[in-house]
Amino acid sequence: MRVKPKKRLGQNFLADGNIRHKIIAACEFGPDDSVLEIGAGQGEMTGLIAGQVKQVYALELDYGLAGLLKNNLAEIKNLEIINQDVLKFDFKSFLKNIKGKITVFGNIPYYITTPIIERLLENREKIKVAYLTVQKEFAQRVVAGPGSKQFGSLSCFLQYFTQAQIKFIISKGSFWPRPKVDSCLLELKMREAPAVKVKDEDYFFKIIRAGFNQRRKTLRNSLKEVINRETLDLFFQKYNIKENIRPEQLSLEQFAGLANMV
Ligand code: SAM
């Protein structure tokens, strides 16, 4: 029996069996892995993942769906269903009891993509990799490099902490009900150490945010409020940068170089 999907909970279920298998093949699960699944839904992916790994913990906020999962997947012994809101979930206590690092998987509700990723980054020491199905445009912003229109503070922030890669695009027609936009499978491998060395992380991100705040301005104008003129002059000379450069043309290394000069 089909459940009535709740739009407010982002319930677009992965209906295409071929895509489910393609996702499993792309996720590089291992037999010793523990996996935390976010938004298990009706178990579209849950059983397939459980067949590949040691243990699955499946979070689902919807009380009815969590009950359905417990009934339908009762045979699967390496599965625990947790009826909780991922944004209220106590990651710290949960991860303390996990041996080694966990793998995160989620065909996640779009309306909370950013807060979910923030939670994952806060707990990155205990997370090996996250495989997330997200809106295509969001993923394209995450993996964008300098010089591209999509490159922005989201790209810098995530590329600083993770190795981000789009595995493949998933057409909106693979979901039921069909969403308005395409998705893709995004891989976020947590880095052992950040991509670039910075003396003061808060300041580094402050510069990046200020730099991208008004994208039509030149970098020099955008950064006027956060860096003094002399330091900016020195930076432009040291890196041989044109005066009219725009923020999206600067690399992560250059943002780090700038932050470290202050
Ligand atoms: N895993 C299923 C699939 O692949 O088809 C369902 C994916 S559906 C896009 C997202 C799921 O996340 C829904 O089942 C929804 O009820 C659940 N969900 C929504 N908000 C949540 C939250 N805050 N915490 C945990 N689960 C949530």
Side-chain angles (χ1 to χ4, degrees):
M1 194 187 71
R2 271 187 161 185
V3 298
K4 189 165 182 284
K6 297 189 178 89
K7 209 174 165 188
R8 68 184 169 82
L9 290 184
Q11 291 181 354
N12 299 94
F13 302 108
L14 198 48
D16 184 331
N18 290 331
I19 296 295
R20 290 183 200 160
H21 285 283
K22 193 172 170 187
I23 291 176
I24 291 291
C27 282
E28 294 169 31
F29 293 123
D32 294 326
D33 288 348
S34 292
V35 174
L36 175 68
E37 184 185 6
I38 300 172
Q42 303 173 88
E44 283 76 3
M45 299 301 299
T46 318
L48 291 175
I49 300 170
Q52 304 262 316
V53 304
K54 193 166 166 197
Q55 178 69 32
V56 178
Y57 303 90
L59 274 180
E60 175 51 58
L61 171 63
D62 187 320
Y63 180 77
L65 284 185
L68 194 99
L69 282 169
K70 279 181 193 166
N71 274 334
N72 293 355
L73 305 183
E75 305 273 277
I76 303 178
K77 296 298 170 221
N78 60 339
L79 170 65
E80 187 181 324
I81 312 288
I82 307 169
N83 179 206
Q84 268 195 44
D85 181 342
V86 62
L87 300 183
K88 295 187 184 146
F89 184 61
D90 185 350
F91 274 92
K92 293 263 177 303
S93 314
F94 169 76
L95 291 169
K96 223 190 296 170
N97 296 319
I98 300 287
K99 226 172 123 200
K101 293 190 183 191
I102 202 158
T103 294
V104 173
F105 176 86
N107 174 13
I108 56 177
Y110 294 155
Y111 75 107
I112 46 172
T113 302
T114 303
I116 288 177
I117 292 180
E118 280 167 1
R119 295 295 183 290
L120 300 183
L121 291 181
E122 280 161 19
N123 293 287
R124 62 188 178 277
E125 291 87 28
K126 287 283 285 181
I127 297 174
K128 182 166 74 171
V129 54
Y131 296 104
L132 304 174
T133 302
V134 297
Q135 265 190 19
K136 186 176 84 179
E137 286 72 18
F138 179 88
Q140 285 169 336
R141 281 166 52 215
V142 170
V143 303
S148 107
K149 264 195 192 154
Q150 287 113 323
F151 187 56
S153 31
L154 179 73
S155 335
C156 292
F157 187 63
L158 278 174
Q159 290 172 27
Y160 178 74
F161 290 115
T162 75
Q163 284 176 291
Q165 194 193 349
I166 292 179
K167 299 297 254 186
F168 57 89
I169 309 290
I170 307 172
S171 136
K172 47 183 176 271
S174 303
F175 296 91
W176 176 82
R178 177 195 280 248
K180 288 203 177 73
V181 291
D182 288 332
S183 298
C184 68
L185 181 65
L186 176 69
E187 177 187 73
L188 298 173
K189 268 193 188 148
M190 300 298 160
R191 292 183 187 275
E192 291 293 332
V196 289
K197 270 202 175 140
V198 290
K199 286 192 274 191
D200 180 342
E201 240 170 41
D202 289 342
Y203 187 63
F204 172 61
F205 290 125
K206 189 174 170 183
I207 288 182
I208 289 173
R209 274 196 303 273
F212 285 108
N213 209 8
Q214 289 164 296
R215 298 178 70 105
R216 285 213 245 124
K217 282 191 178 176
T218 62
L219 184 74
R220 192 180 264 291
N221 270 333
S222 306
L223 293 182
K224 257 197 319 222
E225 306 295 321
V226 285
I227 302 179
N228 65 42
R229 199 186 161 86
E230 293 72 40
T231 312
L232 266 179
D233 286 343
L234 264 178
F235 171 71
F236 275 74
Q237 275 170 24
K238 184 174 170 189
Y239 288 87
N240 199 13
I241 288 172
K242 283 199 207 124
E243 276 297 311
N244 60 352
I245 193 168
R246 301 210 174 260
E248 65 269 20
Q249 291 168 295
L250 221 60
S251 67
L252 202 60
E253 290 75 13
Q254 287 170 325
F255 272 116
L258 177 57
N260 290 342
M261 282 174 84
V262 180

